[in-house]
Amino acid sequence: ASRPAGGIASQTRAFIAQLEQAVFFDNPRSPLSFSIASHSSSGIDTALQAAVLQVSKSILDSSSRFIAGRLDTGAQLRERLRRAHAIIRVLSANGLVDRIDTSTRVRLSAAAEKLAAAVALWSHQNDLWARQHSSPATHLLSNAADAFLEARGLRSRDALRELLQHHTCSVGDLVVFLHGRVPALRRALDVSERGAHDSRLVEFEASRIAIVAMLAAFRYRFRHSDLYALASNCSEELWTASAEIADILSERLENIYALCRDLSSRHCAPIYERMQMAVLPGDTNHDGTDVSISDEAVCIDYSQSAPSELAAVLPADDDPYVSDMALLRDCLNIVGPLANLCFRSFVDRITFVETRSAPDAAALVRRYNTLRSRFLLGLVALGRVQMAFRLSEEYHDLTTLVVLVFAADAANAADCLRRYIDMFGSDFARALFAYYERRQAWASLLYTRDSAIDRLLKEFIDTSEHVSPHGPMAQIGWIHDIKLRDFGGAAAKLARAARDSDDTCQARTMLSLSKLSFVALEGLDSIAGGNEIKTSAYSRLEDALELCEVQDSLHRFMAELVESNQQGMQLAAKPTNKCNMEGGSSSGSDNCDAYDAAMLTTSPELRHSRPALYATYCDFLRRLLASRVASTEEMLDALTFPDNIPNTNEHFVNERYCLAVDILSRSGSNLTKHAQRAALRSIWRRVFISDDWKAIHLRLSTPNTTDIALRSELIATNLYHTLRQCLVLRELPHPECYVMPADAFVTADDLEYFADNRFCLQLKDSVEGTTIDTIIGEYKLEDKDLSLAINNGLVGYYEEMFRIVAEDAKDAHRQREGKPDCGMSDDLENKGVEDEYENDVNMDSE
């Protein structure tokens, strides 16, 4: 056939004539051959599109002159369906499908789908009329059609026949309209026992009508989607995926599930008990929130009875309009198909709104996910387990599929999980691992005997750790790393878990395991071989372990101190506001022990002059005695703040100032440079003011003080002891770890740091009347004490003590090097001797 000359209108008319001939008269027995060709050079043929839509519309509303009127409505509907389908068949045979756009193809398919739905509805209604039941449910569809036409200003003696013959395009609107009439009709029927039975039949029939119409439409679309060249993720809005259709299908699903509950409560206890025990997504928790598939509250029990046992209590062939048991049976049977139609409608709706970037797309997805998981699990409660599995697989709901495996087939769970991993791969494995994680089934999660699953679990753990660095996977993933001999990953996870731990014992265990994993990865020889990165990492682990050991020792010391002095404590002398500072998670006994320890290790002057810092110290002791992990800053403050620690054989207590400096020197990964300098000044400032320099200066400034008396007085001070420990025993580098008295005052930057310090902020929130200004003021009191010490000769005494300690350090260095003690001249050869010693008196001559 040749394209006629002229405009679009004349071309359209020519196409219409050709299409009508091909659609209505082309059959295998015809001697004529009908073919249609588009003369458009490329792309969409506008005239052809207009023609196919016109022919399709004339078939849909029976306005075509080639459609003969028939008394048999069903035969006429089937004939029109064949002619509507012939349109796309003719286009496909002539290679013209690609000359009409997607929207047009969707409209052509929609017309045929509505005709298929009309055929199914008419057949369904004819079956009901044939049974001659007196229930109002029998006439539900025909009465809805009559009201539907009347609402549009149309009247007919046979409304349903009129609507399906001449208003077939409104089939979807009719289903929605019918759904809206059901609640009022049920309320009118519920006034009597007989009416209540009819009311349940109306609910059942309304769901069946929706299923009949939608199922016929979907079947036609899926069967001929290739012919229409429609992708499964078509971006056009489908009439079966309109917002109204999706809403009524979801409400039908809820209502039919409720009807099953109502009927089973009257006639089938096994099903009712299972429905009552089930906790499904979308149910309401005790706190008013909605249950989700991820909640542990989700519960379905399939262990009570098998499907065959449930089927045995239901009749096989009774009429649902006569028997309630038969009605229950049919309700149970339609839940699965209705759920399938509802899910499909939502999937198509979501595809459409997401392509339009609609703002409600995310809310629609959440609603669909809850609805889908709710009724997939609800099918199990109804004994329709295989349907639940099939729909979960079809709609790729792997999260629900995992729950189904353990709830419905626990005995064969291992084989079933393996089959689904083979089927869905890593997607199902991640859903399975997430299921174990939500329920904290760590043994089940980590105990795998398949290398492929081990690999997938490794990917899951690493991904979870990246998303949540401090989550549960980061805490236990090291076990799987060690199983796979990934010692580097295990060491990193263990170190992070130790940092996150709030318990001292657990943190120490994690650090020890991290150290072992690091050694297993690198080897001691490699670590000691001079690789700076490896050595630094290993040193950080050892430093963290030592900090835990110090805290353990401090914990043990404080506990023993409180225990040994418990009887001598005068509890009534405690400040009345102390009990107000205790945390809600600690017992009163623990808090009292902490306050006892704080009072035993501080002087009354310190407590009264620095109440805010003393409160911080008490809070630290409370958490220390509860075995809570302390930060570096807390440890430094706890070691240097108390001024009345009793004499003890515990070396860490006697060396607490030096220990604080040592800890600080290895805290580069925990503290900023600014924080380190502020902390270092704070440590040495407290060392300087720990001695009574006014009394010392008074004794040493008397006439005729001998050098021996001077030396004896100085080496008895805390300052000398700390300097000697730092320089001689621990060999802390100079000048990085030392501060001169004149440089130990609180700076403006230090005050800003202390004001931002999280411990000070915590104290501000927990202690009534405490402000940041109060805390800063107490730090300035230390400046005042330091200034008084300097006025009493501290600078000179410090320099003298440093020279004495430097000599001790050189002697110790010479002994380690194996050099003989041959006097000062030999000492001067040692590296690190200061030039000031050249003018000293020769000790040998003395």
Side-chain angles (χ1 to χ4, degrees):
S2 59
R3 168 72 74 76
I8 295 295
S10 61
Q11 295 175 21
T12 301
R13 287 193 297 272
F15 272 131
I16 290 174
Q18 289 179 295
L19 280 170
E20 288 179 335
Q21 293 178 39
V23 166
F24 289 99
F25 301 106
D26 186 17
N27 63 74
R29 293 173 294 181
S30 174
L32 301 177
S33 177
F34 299 96
S35 61
I36 302 174
S38 172
H39 289 258
S40 177
S41 59
S42 63
I44 304 302
D45 192 321
T46 307
L48 179 61
Q49 283 194 154
V52 296
L53 290 176
Q54 180 63 37
V55 173
S56 174
K57 181 179 180 300
S58 67
I59 295 173
L60 188 61
D61 59 14
S62 298
S63 62
S64 173
R65 67 182 185 276
F66 297 109
I67 296 178
R70 298 184 61 173
L71 296 178
D72 189 339
T73 302
Q76 193 236 26
L77 288 171
R78 290 190 293 272
E79 177 67 18
R80 287 162 58 198
L81 175 58
R82 285 195 296 271
R83 299 310 176 189
H85 178 68
I87 296 175
I88 193 65
R89 181 173 53 79
V90 169
L91 292 177
S92 178
N94 290 273
L96 297 176
V97 175
D98 60 342
R99 295 304 180 90
I100 59 176
D101 59 23
T102 302
S103 177
T104 301
R105 296 198 300 274
V106 168
R107 293 171 66 182
L108 290 178
S109 179
E113 291 163 17
K114 290 180 179 180
L115 281 167
V119 170
L121 285 174
W122 182 255
S123 176
H124 175 72
Q125 186 61 56
N126 270 260
D127 290 343
L128 288 179
W129 283 335
R131 296 182 182 183
Q132 297 183 346
H133 291 300
S134 61
S135 172
T138 304
H139 306 284
L140 182 64
L141 180 59
S142 56
N143 290 341
D146 184 63
F148 180 82
L149 291 179
E150 186 175 352
R152 285 155 180 75
L154 303 173
R155 299 190 63 84
S156 174
R157 294 184 59 186
D158 196 343
L160 182 60
R161 192 185 305 269
E162 171 69 18
L163 189 148
L164 296 181
Q165 285 186 339
H166 301 290
H167 305 281
T168 318
C169 61
S170 299
V171 164
D173 296 332
L174 174 62
V175 174
V176 174
F177 181 81
L178 182 149
H179 173 76
R181 287 168 51 87
V182 170
L185 181 57
R186 291 201 65 184
R187 286 193 297 270
L189 292 171
D190 281 337
V191 295
S192 66
E193 183 63 29
R194 175 61 187 172
H197 174 72
D198 288 336
S199 173
R200 290 189 286 272
L201 285 173
V202 166
E203 190 67 63
F204 166 69
E205 192 57 42
S207 296
R208 281 215 299 183
I209 290 170
I211 292 174
V212 166
M214 294 298 107
L215 186 58
F218 279 119
R219 278 178 176 170
Y220 179 87
R221 182 187 305 157
F222 293 150
R223 187 174 299 170
H224 304 292
S225 59
D226 293 340
L227 196 59
Y228 286 92
L230 296 177
S232 59
N233 57 344
C234 179
S235 60
E236 297 292 328
E237 184 175 20
L238 307 175
W239 74 277
T240 55
S242 66
E244 295 80 6
I245 293 293
D247 287 342
I248 71 155
L249 289 177
S250 65
E251 291 180 27
R252 288 284 98 227
L253 195 53
E254 288 282 1
N255 293 347
I256 203 67
Y257 189 81
L259 182 57
C260 289
R261 186 191 300 273
D262 180 27
L263 289 169
S264 63
S265 68
R266 301 168 184 267
H267 306 289
C268 189
I271 294 178
Y272 180 71
E273 289 173 1
R274 288 171 48 153
M275 295 183 73
Q276 286 295 97
M277 291 175 62
V279 179
L280 305 177
D283 288 346
T284 303
N285 284 312
H286 296 297
D287 58 359
T289 60
D290 290 339
V291 177
S292 76
I293 187 63
S294 301
D295 294 342
E296 290 188 19
V298 170
C299 173
I300 50 174
D301 184 11
Y302 186 64
S303 60
Q304 292 185 3
S305 53
S308 59
E309 297 173 352
L310 294 177
V313 301
L314 298 174
D317 55 1
D318 286 0
D319 190 339
Y321 277 76
V322 177
S323 166
D324 279 345
M325 290 291 285
L327 179 59
L328 173 60
R329 176 203 63 210
D330 286 2
C331 286
L332 294 174
N333 289 337
I334 68 173
V335 172
L338 185 57
N340 187 15
L341 295 171
C342 180
F343 299 163
R344 176 50 53 188
S345 180
F346 267 89
V347 168
D348 294 340
R349 182 71 187 167
I350 290 170
T351 301
F352 169 71
V353 298
E354 286 182 340
T355 57
R356 298 297 190 275
S357 299
D360 60 341
L364 183 63
V365 171
R366 289 193 299 270
R367 178 187 171 194
Y368 166 62
N369 289 336
T370 300
L371 180 77
R372 184 185 61 202
S373 59
R374 173 178 178 78
F375 287 103
L376 287 176
L377 297 180
L379 285 169
V380 178
L382 299 177
R384 300 307 188 258
V385 181
Q386 295 307 314
M387 174 65 76
F389 275 99
R390 186 178 66 79
L391 292 178
S392 297
E393 296 169 12
E394 180 178 347
Y395 290 98
H396 210 74
D397 189 351
L398 304 184
T399 301
T400 303
L401 191 56
V402 173
V403 178
L404 285 173
V405 169
F406 289 105
D409 199 12
N412 302 312
D415 295 336
C416 197
L417 293 174
R418 163 51 61 190
R419 179 167 60 86
Y420 281 128
I421 289 177
D422 294 339
M423 183 185 301
F424 296 109
S426 60
D427 290 342
F428 183 81
R430 284 193 292 270
L432 174 62
F433 300 149
Y435 173 87
Y436 286 137
E437 180 182 6
R438 289 194 303 270
R439 285 156 177 77
Q440 298 183 2
W442 309 125
S444 299
L445 175 66
L446 298 175
Y447 181 66
T448 58
R449 291 176 291 180
D450 189 305
S451 59
I453 297 180
D454 279 336
R455 176 181 55 80
L456 295 173
L457 178 57
K458 171 69 173 173
E459 294 174 0
F460 175 79
I461 290 174
D462 291 345
T463 302
S464 300
E465 183 183 9
H466 178 73
V467 173
S468 179
H470 308 288
M473 286 296 98
Q475 300 291 324
I476 68 166
W478 60 271
I479 301 175
H480 191 66
D481 285 341
I482 290 178
K483 176 184 177 182
L484 299 182
R485 304 186 67 80
D486 180 11
F487 297 114
K493 289 182 177 68
L494 283 162
R496 186 181 297 111
R499 289 196 298 270
D500 293 341
S501 176
D502 195 36
D503 182 79
T504 309
C505 295
Q506 185 184 51
R508 185 175 63 251
T509 301
M510 292 293 185
L511 287 170
S512 299
L513 291 172
S514 179
K515 181 178 176 180
L516 288 174
S517 299
F518 190 80
V519 172
L521 172 69
E522 302 294 346
L524 287 174
D525 294 339
S526 176
I527 296 173
N531 186 300
E532 184 177 350
I533 297 177
K534 296 178 183 179
T535 303
S536 176
Y538 188 74
S539 298
R540 286 197 299 272
L541 285 174
E542 288 193 317
D543 293 344
L545 269 172
E546 183 172 347
L547 187 62
C548 287
E549 294 295 339
V550 171
Q551 183 169 344
D552 276 345
S553 299
L554 190 57
H555 179 190
R556 185 174 58 254
F557 169 76
M558 291 294 179
E560 292 175 354
L561 183 65
V562 170
E563 184 178 358
S564 62
N565 290 273
Q566 196 72 47
Q567 299 301 324
M569 292 291 293
Q570 295 182 2
L571 300 179
K574 296 177 185 176
T576 57
N577 68 328
K578 288 177 182 176
C579 292
N580 295 329
M581 297 186 295
E582 63 185 44
S585 61
S586 298
S587 66
S589 175
D590 291 339
N591 284 283
C592 289
D593 288 347
Y595 299 137
D596 289 347
M599 293 189 69
L600 286 169
T601 54
T602 55
S603 63
E605 294 78 13
L606 184 67
R607 295 195 294 271
H608 295 136
S609 63
R610 296 170 179 80
L613 291 178
Y614 175 71
T616 305
Y617 179 58
C618 290
D619 184 67
F620 165 77
L621 290 180
R622 177 178 61 82
R623 288 180 288 110
L624 173 74
L625 294 175
S627 297
R628 293 291 172 251
V629 173
S631 69
T632 301
E633 294 162 299
E634 287 180 302
M635 286 299 301
L636 297 179
D637 197 59
L639 289 170
T640 59
F641 176 77
D643 64 342
N644 190 33
I645 291 184
N647 293 328
T648 176
N649 294 326
E650 294 282 358
H651 71 280
F652 81 94
V653 174
N654 298 329
E655 302 171 8
R656 55 195 178 94
Y657 292 113
C658 174
L659 184 59
V661 177
D662 192 7
I663 291 173
L664 182 62
S665 69
R666 293 183 284 180
S667 63
S669 59
N670 299 327
L671 299 177
T672 64
K673 292 295 183 182
H674 182 117
Q676 289 183 67
R677 293 303 302 172
L680 185 63
R681 280 189 285 269
S682 181
I683 293 171
W684 282 106
R685 182 170 60 254
R686 289 175 175 176
V687 174
F688 294 145
I689 65 177
S690 65
D691 294 303
D692 187 356
W693 293 107
K694 182 177 181 180
I696 293 173
H697 184 62
L698 184 63
R699 289 193 294 270
L700 294 180
S701 61
T702 58
N704 304 320
T705 301
T706 65
D707 292 342
I708 295 176
L710 173 65
R711 187 183 182 96
S712 299
E713 190 73 38
L714 294 180
I715 64 176
T717 61
N718 288 327
L719 176 56
Y720 173 82
H721 183 74
T722 303
L723 284 173
R724 188 174 187 281
Q725 291 289 336
C726 292
L727 199 61
V728 179
L729 300 184
R730 293 184 180 261
E731 296 183 331
L732 300 180
H734 182 275
E736 293 87 348
C737 295
Y738 303 85
V739 175
M740 294 289 291
D743 299 326
F745 289 99
V746 181
T747 66
D749 291 340
D750 293 349
L751 294 178
E752 181 180 352
Y753 167 72
F754 291 137
D756 293 336
N757 186 281
R758 65 186 181 92
F759 307 113
C760 295
L761 295 177
Q762 174 185 344
L763 179 65
K764 177 184 176 183
D765 295 335
S766 61
V767 181
E768 183 179 356
T770 300
T771 64
I772 295 298
D773 292 338
T774 303
I775 297 172
I776 291 177
E778 293 183 11
Y779 278 111
K780 289 183 177 180
L781 286 178
E782 295 181 353
D783 273 5
K784 183 178 180 182
D785 293 341
L786 177 60
S787 178
L788 181 62
I790 291 176
N791 291 337
N792 283 280
L794 172 60
V795 174
Y797 298 138
Y798 175 84
E799 293 174 353
E800 181 63 28
M801 281 187 282
F802 200 93
R803 282 192 289 268
I804 296 173
V805 172
E807 292 176 4
D808 295 341
K810 288 181 288 183
D811 291 340
H813 176 75
R814 184 178 59 252
Q815 291 176 7
R816 285 193 302 271
E817 294 294 329
K819 294 183 179 181
D821 185 4
C822 54
M824 193 64 187
S825 59
D826 292 328
D827 293 339
L828 292 175
E829 296 176 2
N830 292 327
K831 183 178 180 180
V833 177
E834 300 182 8
D835 294 338
E836 303 165 60
Y837 291 114
E838 295 180 359
N839 299 321
D840 286 352
V841 178
N842 189 290
M843 301 300 294
D844 290 340
S845 63
E846 287 186 357

